[in-house]
Amino acid sequence: HGHGRETPMQPLSLYRRNVRASHSLTWGLVAAGCVLTFILSVNSSMSGSQDQSHIGSAATTSVKPTCLRIGQQNAFRPNVAHSSRSLRRNDLVRSRRGVPVHIPRAEVEMQTASVESMIEKSKAERLNHLEMQAMEALKYAVESSENKHPVFPCAMIAGDMVILDLINRLGYLKDGKVQVMFVDTFHLFDETITFMKDTEERYGFKGNWFQAEGCADKSEYDAKFGADLWKVNIEEYDRICKVEPFQRGLKTLECDCMINGRRRDHGFERAFIDVYESGKMNKINPLAYWTFEDCWDYINKYQINYHPLHDKGYPSIGDAKDTVPVPREKWFEYAGERSGRFTGLKNKDGSTKTECGIHVDGAERTFERDLWIEGKVEKVDIKAVEGLKNSIVTVYAPWCPFSQNMEEEFAKLAEDSSLGLSVTAARGDEERELARSLGVEAFPTTFIVDASGKRTKYASEERTVDAWKNFIAANAA
């Protein structure tokens, strides 16, 4: 009782009177508190009844009763500016015993939110995070001291248009900090070529176009390789029209960091890729953790232009010869985007074709574009093959995965001094007509050349030391 505290100067009677007054004040405050509690409880109950009575006629009131039942409680969110009374009503809800309980406003809003609004909120938050992650990856591709010449090979599909827009938002297109590369296979849809040119104009940049080596247009390609090459030998078609121009483009642009649109949801072959992949050439996959749905959420959010064939049922667009529309309900299934690609095509082993060869293991080897740089394999010019004798010679293309795969075994063969033959290699992709005149139809092609200069082609696809030795023993007499 602080107010009745005795001091040395106070008489005892005064002290007692102060104590009685203090007690009276204390009990008075207690009584007032009980009355206030009762009033607030009644007011809260009446407010709840008024809100319930408005449920059937929400259109004629200023409160929209969007509620989510939690236990036995109903909370309502006004769709107009809160009055002081509505603020109190939302901050106070009754427990089952009727005692007012304070709930933080964030929890009240959570209770009143609809499932649809929470879905939209979570999707928006996810997309914002993915955008920031992708932009950080693109900034690394451009700003890191490790990377001097980042290149973005663009196929004009939905995901690539997202990346292109992100690069543009960062200002890397117009200033040329990121070079955009485009491979024309001479088998693309006409709409793809038109859309690429429109995109160049819209974003204000000039792309770097590459196509089959030595071919200015489709007619030259047909005359040189045949219009039906893809039907006769799909691997050779991929190498000539996709892999080699792709590799040549990266080399021409001195690429040391490749930006590409591969994502985990493309299918099993890409299910474990990360945003960053290190190596002799760094690879940045800014959309690695995105889904196809995320790409379209971004496109719709920023209203960016997309390939016109998407509106005709194509989730992904490649060559016109083997790309088909897909029912829209399948677009967003796992690997659904690419389900319309490579239709009817098989690999040599009979498996279903899912990749064109550009993104398979080893396809990005652009810095050691030549093979057998070291070791005992003797490198000769393709023009010198005609004059070889007592030799086993392979005519190869360094970008060809089959040539790359035989590099180690062929080097082991050259280590064997008991062969009695020189082990040589000649690059043939830069002199294709001369290579054809030697009987080279595909890379790699291996010959045994005897003492008279006669060449015998090694027809097997078993490229091992033992297989070559057996072939030598049978043909090098």
Side-chain angles (χ1 to χ4, degrees), residues 56-120:
S57 57
T60 61
T61 67
S62 61
V63 177
K64 182 179 181 180
T66 55
C67 68
L68 176 65
R69 184 176 295 276
I70 302 179
Q72 299 298 318
Q73 301 174 11
N74 282 324
F76 300 96
R77 175 184 295 173
N79 61 358
V80 295
H82 295 286
S83 64
S84 59
R85 180 183 177 191
S86 66
L87 287 173
R88 288 196 301 273
R89 186 166 69 243
N90 280 334
D91 286 344
L92 292 171
V93 297
R94 292 196 306 160
S95 70
R96 292 183 180 182
R97 295 184 179 181
V99 179
V101 178
H102 178 78
I103 295 182
R105 180 165 303 282
E107 294 186 21
V108 173
E109 291 181 354
M110 182 69 72
Q111 293 175 4
T112 62
S114 67
V115 173
E116 290 76 12
S117 67
M118 293 306 296
I119 291 175
E120 291 304 314

Side-chain angles (χ1 to χ4, degrees), residues 212-456:
E213 190 173 32
C215 301
D217 52 36
K218 180 66 162 59
S219 61
E220 289 189 13
Y221 166 84
D222 289 347
K224 193 169 185 177
F225 300 104
D228 293 333
L229 176 62
W230 67 274
K231 296 179 182 178
V232 176
N233 189 334
I234 188 62
E235 286 80 10
E236 184 68 1
Y237 166 79
D238 282 347
R239 287 195 289 270
I240 291 171
C241 295
K242 299 179 181 180
V243 179
E244 192 281 328
F246 181 83
Q247 296 286 353
R248 179 161 35 90
L250 293 180
K251 182 182 181 184
T252 300
L253 298 173
E254 301 180 337
C255 175
D256 57 2
C257 178
M258 183 177 71
I259 302 166
N260 72 91
R262 292 181 300 158
R263 302 194 313 271
R264 290 187 170 196
D265 72 329
H266 276 152
F268 179 76
E269 294 85 355
R270 304 180 181 185
F272 303 100
I273 62 171
D274 289 314
V275 175
Y276 305 90
E277 296 180 86
S278 61
K280 292 184 178 180
M281 178 181 65
N282 292 330
K283 285 185 280 186
I284 305 297
N285 311 306
L287 307 187
Y289 304 145
W290 292 48
T291 65
F292 196 36
E293 183 179 359
D294 294 325
C295 294
W296 282 101
D297 285 344
Y298 180 96
I299 289 172
N300 291 327
K301 177 180 178 180
Y302 293 101
Q303 293 296 296
I304 66 173
N305 287 47
Y306 56 84
H307 199 299
L309 288 182
H310 287 309
D311 288 335
K312 296 184 178 181
Y314 294 84
S316 183
I317 297 98
D319 282 350
K321 61 182 174 53
D322 53 49
T323 305
V324 298
V326 174
R328 291 187 185 274
E329 59 268 21
K330 296 184 177 295
W331 281 29
F332 301 102
E333 296 177 354
Y334 182 71
E337 178 187 1
R338 292 169 61 81
S339 59
R341 298 285 299 277
F342 310 113
T343 304
L345 300 182
K346 299 286 185 181
N347 296 313
K348 275 191 174 182
D349 62 4
S351 61
T352 300
K353 188 172 180 61
T354 60
E355 293 280 1
C356 65
I358 287 178
H359 295 297
V360 298
D361 289 342
E364 285 84 11
R365 292 183 58 179
T366 58
F367 300 99
E368 295 180 2
R369 275 181 54 84
D370 208 1
L371 306 181
W372 299 291
I373 294 175
E374 299 176 349
K376 294 187 177 181
V377 176
E378 182 183 352
K379 301 289 285 296
V380 298
D381 190 276
I382 186 69
K383 298 181 178 68
V385 171
E386 190 72 45
L388 289 176
K389 295 180 181 179
N390 294 321
S391 178
I392 178 170
V393 56
T394 287
V395 181
Y396 70 95
W399 43 264
C400 167
F402 298 105
S403 298
Q404 295 169 4
N405 291 340
M406 69 172 284
E407 182 179 18
E408 184 177 351
E409 282 292 300
F410 205 61
K412 289 180 182 178
L413 182 67
E415 296 287 338
D416 190 340
S417 58
S418 66
L419 288 178
L421 298 174
S422 64
V423 179
T424 58
R427 181 169 179 172
D429 61 319
E430 296 177 330
E431 296 282 351
R432 291 179 183 271
E433 292 302 325
L434 182 55
R436 282 196 188 87
S437 69
L438 296 172
V440 176
E441 298 175 356
F443 299 118
T445 296
T446 301
F447 301 95
I448 290 290
V449 186
D450 63 17
S452 67
K454 177 185 175 183
R455 291 190 304 276
T456 304

Side-chain angles (χ1 to χ4, degrees), residues 198-210:
D198 291 343
T199 300
E200 287 178 317
E201 183 176 352
R202 181 167 56 256
Y203 283 118
F205 74 97
K206 180 60 180 174
N208 301 273
W209 295 59
F210 294 89

Side-chain angles (χ1 to χ4, degrees), residues 100-224:
V101 178
H102 178 78
I103 295 182
R105 180 165 303 282
E107 294 186 21
V108 173
E109 291 181 354
M110 182 69 72
Q111 293 175 4
T112 62
S114 67
V115 173
E116 290 76 12
S117 67
M118 293 306 296
I119 291 175
E120 291 304 314
K121 179 175 180 291
S122 63
K123 284 172 65 70
E125 290 173 348
R126 170 184 169 82
L127 187 58
N128 287 338
H129 169 73
L130 291 173
E131 280 185 51
M132 289 188 293
Q133 184 184 67
M135 282 191 164
E136 182 179 46
L138 292 170
K139 287 178 181 178
Y140 173 80
V142 175
E143 307 295 344
S144 171
S145 59
E146 287 191 13
N147 309 316
K148 304 299 182 184
H149 303 286
V151 174
F152 173 42
C154 183
M156 313 308 295
I157 56 179
D160 284 2
M161 296 312 297
V162 170
I163 295 176
L164 200 63
D165 191 70
L166 289 169
I167 294 173
N168 181 65
R169 286 170 58 188
L170 291 169
Y172 296 152
L173 275 184
K174 291 185 178 180
D175 63 13
K177 288 185 177 179
V178 173
Q179 291 294 311
V180 179
M181 188 176 86
F182 184 71
V183 175
D184 181 2
T185 67
F186 295 134
H187 294 75
L188 299 174
F189 289 93
D190 292 339
E191 292 90 337
T192 300
I193 303 298
T194 301
F195 183 58
M196 177 60 180
K197 293 178 179 178
D198 291 343
T199 300
E200 287 178 317
E201 183 176 352
R202 181 167 56 256
Y203 283 118
F205 74 97
K206 180 60 180 174
N208 301 273
W209 295 59
F210 294 89
Q211 57 278 324
E213 190 173 32
C215 301
D217 52 36
K218 180 66 162 59
S219 61
E220 289 189 13
Y221 166 84
D222 289 347
K224 193 169 185 177

